[in-house]
Amino acid sequence: MTEQHQHYFTADPNAVSEPRLLTVELPDLTLKLTTDAGVFSPKQLDPGTRVLLENAPAPTVDGHLLDVGCGYGPIALTLAKRYPGRKITGVDVNTRSLELARANAKAAGLDTITCLLPEEVPADARFAAIYSNPPIRIGKQALHELLLHWLDRLLPDGVAYLVVQKNLGSDSLAKWLTEQGHSTRRIATDKGYRVLAARPKA
């Protein structure tokens, strides 16, 4: 795969490094994040991620939080700032993204964030809530496998909050998750995105 055609879900992107500082302003906080080429949405906060962060509610049960597809860290850092008593795990397959997320957490003085490859997450780890802008473009089968894997890590009363573009199949994904036993409903719609809340299997 050539540099210009690499995806953000490439494990070890060889795109020429072009670090930049990004300021993310949300209604309740501001983040200074370093981004780089070869990661997801390096030039601006992805609109879907913004919709998720502006609409997803606080976790309703005690426990650790999970950011699936953490990129350079906007979701994980926002969670750490909003819920300082919580441990946050960010997972991504992109090693450059993980390095950036770790550096951004350190620069922000947030020591509750751990950024890992998926296979590095302990098998017995369970989470009170998942917040994710999932990588839709990896393909339907891979996406389904990814979501089912992490939804199985929810605590019994936990919730996964997912943001998906309407025209990329948010409604059909919600239906499919419900069919798999993960009761899923839409809790917000904004700028062409749906925020979905998915429950563990009964």
mmCIF file of all heavy atoms in Angstrom, residues 104-123:
data_model
loop_
_atom_site.group_PDB
_atom_site.id
_atom_site.type_symbol
_atom_site.label_atom_id
_atom_site.label_comp_id
_atom_site.label_asym_id
_atom_site.label_seq_id
_atom_site.Cartn_x
_atom_site.Cartn_y
_atom_site.Cartn_z
ATOM 1 N N ASN A 104 -0.004 12.985 24.377
ATOM 2 C CA ASN A 104 -1.014 14.007 24.657
ATOM 3 C C ASN A 104 -1.530 13.896 26.091
ATOM 4 O O ASN A 104 -1.754 14.913 26.761
ATOM 5 C CB ASN A 104 -2.170 13.897 23.661
ATOM 6 C CG ASN A 104 -1.809 14.453 22.301
ATOM 7 O OD1 ASN A 104 -1.044 15.407 22.181
ATOM 8 N ND2 ASN A 104 -2.355 13.859 21.248
ATOM 9 N N ALA A 105 -1.725 12.668 26.563
ATOM 10 C CA ALA A 105 -2.167 12.476 27.944
ATOM 11 C C ALA A 105 -1.110 12.986 28.921
ATOM 12 O O ALA A 105 -1.430 13.665 29.908
ATOM 13 C CB ALA A 105 -2.472 11.003 28.204
ATOM 14 N N LYS A 106 0.146 12.680 28.642
ATOM 15 C CA LYS A 106 1.230 13.134 29.520
ATOM 16 C C LYS A 106 1.324 14.656 29.520
ATOM 17 O O LYS A 106 1.464 15.282 30.583
ATOM 18 C CB LYS A 106 2.549 12.521 29.068
ATOM 19 C CG LYS A 106 3.724 12.874 29.963
ATOM 20 C CD LYS A 106 4.996 12.166 29.520
ATOM 21 C CE LYS A 106 6.165 12.521 30.444
ATOM 22 N NZ LYS A 106 7.411 11.826 30.019
ATOM 23 N N ALA A 107 1.226 15.262 28.342
ATOM 24 C CA ALA A 107 1.321 16.720 28.240
ATOM 25 C C ALA A 107 0.181 17.402 28.990
ATOM 26 O O ALA A 107 0.345 18.504 29.514
ATOM 27 C CB ALA A 107 1.322 17.142 26.775
ATOM 28 N N ALA A 108 -0.978 16.748 29.041
ATOM 29 C CA ALA A 108 -2.138 17.315 29.730
ATOM 30 C C ALA A 108 -2.144 17.001 31.222
ATOM 31 O O ALA A 108 -3.040 17.434 31.943
ATOM 32 C CB ALA A 108 -3.431 16.797 29.085
ATOM 33 N N GLY A 109 -1.159 16.232 31.657
ATOM 34 C CA GLY A 109 -1.091 15.873 33.066
ATOM 35 C C GLY A 109 -2.158 14.881 33.487
ATOM 36 O O GLY A 109 -2.548 14.840 34.650
ATOM 37 N N LEU A 110 -2.601 14.053 32.548
ATOM 38 C CA LEU A 110 -3.655 13.084 32.824
ATOM 39 C C LEU A 110 -3.029 11.697 32.976
ATOM 40 O O LEU A 110 -2.635 11.071 31.995
ATOM 41 C CB LEU A 110 -4.685 13.091 31.690
ATOM 42 C CG LEU A 110 -5.409 14.429 31.484
ATOM 43 C CD1 LEU A 110 -6.230 14.408 30.201
ATOM 44 C CD2 LEU A 110 -6.304 14.742 32.677
ATOM 45 N N ASP A 111 -2.960 11.228 34.216
ATOM 46 C CA ASP A 111 -2.281 9.960 34.475
ATOM 47 C C ASP A 111 -3.246 8.795 34.647
ATOM 48 O O ASP A 111 -2.854 7.707 35.080
ATOM 49 C CB ASP A 111 -1.378 10.079 35.706
ATOM 50 C CG ASP A 111 -2.140 10.460 36.970
ATOM 51 O OD1 ASP A 111 -3.383 10.560 36.899
ATOM 52 O OD2 ASP A 111 -1.494 10.652 38.018
ATOM 53 N N THR A 112 -4.515 8.999 34.296
ATOM 54 C CA THR A 112 -5.510 7.920 34.415
ATOM 55 C C THR A 112 -5.735 7.202 33.086
ATOM 56 O O THR A 112 -6.587 6.315 33.002
ATOM 57 C CB THR A 112 -6.855 8.485 34.910
ATOM 58 O OG1 THR A 112 -7.289 9.530 34.021
ATOM 59 C CG2 THR A 112 -6.732 9.038 36.318
ATOM 60 N N ILE A 113 -4.978 7.582 32.056
ATOM 61 C CA ILE A 113 -5.177 7.022 30.716
ATOM 62 C C ILE A 113 -4.090 6.013 30.386
ATOM 63 O O ILE A 113 -2.894 6.293 30.557
ATOM 64 C CB ILE A 113 -5.176 8.132 29.648
ATOM 65 C CG1 ILE A 113 -6.304 9.128 29.905
ATOM 66 C CG2 ILE A 113 -5.311 7.539 28.241
ATOM 67 C CD1 ILE A 113 -6.268 10.339 28.981
ATOM 68 N N THR A 114 -4.493 4.848 29.903
ATOM 69 C CA THR A 114 -3.565 3.836 29.401
ATOM 70 C C THR A 114 -3.930 3.548 27.951
ATOM 71 O O THR A 114 -5.104 3.277 27.651
ATOM 72 C CB THR A 114 -3.666 2.537 30.213
ATOM 73 O OG1 THR A 114 -3.403 2.825 31.590
ATOM 74 C CG2 THR A 114 -2.653 1.511 29.717
ATOM 75 N N CYS A 115 -2.953 3.617 27.052
ATOM 76 C CA CYS A 115 -3.207 3.408 25.619
ATOM 77 C C CYS A 115 -2.514 2.131 25.167
ATOM 78 O O CYS A 115 -1.301 1.987 25.321
ATOM 79 C CB CYS A 115 -2.715 4.606 24.821
ATOM 80 S SG CYS A 115 -3.530 6.147 25.284
ATOM 81 N N LEU A 116 -3.292 1.212 24.598
ATOM 82 C CA LEU A 116 -2.800 -0.131 24.313
ATOM 83 C C LEU A 116 -3.232 -0.615 22.935
ATOM 84 O O LEU A 116 -4.239 -0.159 22.390
ATOM 85 C CB LEU A 116 -3.359 -1.119 25.352
ATOM 86 C CG LEU A 116 -3.064 -0.850 26.824
ATOM 87 C CD1 LEU A 116 -3.897 -1.786 27.691
ATOM 88 C CD2 LEU A 116 -1.591 -1.016 27.118
ATOM 89 N N LEU A 117 -2.475 -1.558 22.396
ATOM 90 C CA LEU A 117 -2.952 -2.348 21.275
ATOM 91 C C LEU A 117 -4.084 -3.239 21.779
ATOM 92 O O LEU A 117 -4.102 -3.614 22.958
ATOM 93 C CB LEU A 117 -1.826 -3.199 20.703
ATOM 94 C CG LEU A 117 -0.683 -2.454 20.019
ATOM 95 C CD1 LEU A 117 0.505 -3.398 19.803
ATOM 96 C CD2 LEU A 117 -1.133 -1.869 18.686
ATOM 97 N N PRO A 118 -5.021 -3.610 20.920
ATOM 98 C CA PRO A 118 -6.159 -4.427 21.389
ATOM 99 C C PRO A 118 -5.728 -5.687 22.126
ATOM 100 O O PRO A 118 -6.306 -6.045 23.150
ATOM 101 C CB PRO A 118 -6.908 -4.744 20.098
ATOM 102 C CG PRO A 118 -6.610 -3.593 19.201
ATOM 103 C CD PRO A 118 -5.190 -3.215 19.507
ATOM 104 N N GLU A 119 -4.687 -6.351 21.608
ATOM 105 C CA GLU A 119 -4.264 -7.606 22.217
ATOM 106 C C GLU A 119 -3.567 -7.404 23.563
ATOM 107 O O GLU A 119 -3.332 -8.370 24.304
ATOM 108 C CB GLU A 119 -3.343 -8.380 21.272
ATOM 109 C CG GLU A 119 -2.074 -7.660 20.878
ATOM 110 C CD GLU A 119 -2.210 -6.850 19.605
ATOM 111 O OE1 GLU A 119 -3.355 -6.464 19.258
ATOM 112 O OE2 GLU A 119 -1.173 -6.626 18.951
ATOM 113 N N GLU A 120 -3.241 -6.166 23.897
ATOM 114 C CA GLU A 120 -2.592 -5.885 25.180
ATOM 115 C C GLU A 120 -3.581 -5.656 26.316
ATOM 116 O O GLU A 120 -3.189 -5.599 27.483
ATOM 117 C CB GLU A 120 -1.683 -4.658 25.037
ATOM 118 C CG GLU A 120 -0.503 -4.864 24.121
ATOM 119 C CD GLU A 120 0.311 -3.604 23.890
ATOM 120 O OE1 GLU A 120 -0.265 -2.490 23.973
ATOM 121 O OE2 GLU A 120 1.523 -3.733 23.617
ATOM 122 N N VAL A 121 -4.854 -5.512 25.989
ATOM 123 C CA VAL A 121 -5.863 -5.317 27.025
ATOM 124 C C VAL A 121 -6.061 -6.641 27.767
ATOM 125 O O VAL A 121 -6.310 -7.677 27.136
ATOM 126 C CB VAL A 121 -7.200 -4.849 26.419
ATOM 127 C CG1 VAL A 121 -8.268 -4.693 27.507
ATOM 128 C CG2 VAL A 121 -7.010 -3.536 25.678
ATOM 129 N N PRO A 122 -5.932 -6.649 29.087
ATOM 130 C CA PRO A 122 -6.090 -7.908 29.838
ATOM 131 C C PRO A 122 -7.421 -8.592 29.528
ATOM 132 O O PRO A 122 -8.456 -7.935 29.403
ATOM 133 C CB PRO A 122 -6.031 -7.458 31.304
ATOM 134 C CG PRO A 122 -5.223 -6.194 31.276
ATOM 135 C CD PRO A 122 -5.585 -5.518 29.974
ATOM 136 N N ALA A 123 -7.369 -9.905 29.408
ATOM 137 C CA ALA A 123 -8.554 -10.665 29.013
ATOM 138 C C ALA A 123 -9.686 -10.530 30.011
ATOM 139 O O ALA A 123 -10.863 -10.672 29.645
ATOM 140 C CB ALA A 123 -8.183 -12.134 28.834
#
